[in-house]
Amino acid sequence: MIKEKILAAYRAGIANVIIPKENEHDLSEVCQSIREDITIHLVEHITEAIAICFPETSEIVAED
């Protein structure tokens, strides 16, 4: 399922994708050329995703 979502993001022109670190093994199913053209962020906790999406709020989130 990760493969299809990354492919859809790629086709839509999305340059960054955030996925759970647990799904890292699924990346082997994604074509190498797509993995090179898109930035895939592997996160273990939602605060990491928030920091990627909203870098200006990362200090606020880290304090909570």
Side-chain angles (χ1 to χ4, degrees):
M1 191 109 145
I2 293 295
K3 175 184 174 182
E4 291 83 6
K5 291 178 189 252
I6 292 175
L7 186 55
Y10 177 77
R11 288 181 179 158
I14 296 172
N16 291 279
V17 175
I18 300 171
I19 65 170
K21 178 118 172 104
E22 295 174 0
N23 296 103
E24 184 174 15
H25 64 277
D26 294 327
L27 292 176
S28 63
E29 299 175 8
V30 179
C31 179
Q32 180 67 28
S33 63
I34 292 175
R35 288 190 314 226
E36 291 172 359
D37 286 345
I38 197 167
T39 302
I40 301 171
H41 302 272
L42 301 168
V43 299
E44 293 181 357
H45 194 269
I46 188 68
T47 55
E48 294 173 286
I50 292 169
I52 293 167
C53 294
F54 307 103
E56 65 280 357
T57 63
S58 62
E59 291 179 24
I60 297 168
V61 173
E63 293 175 5
D64 289 341

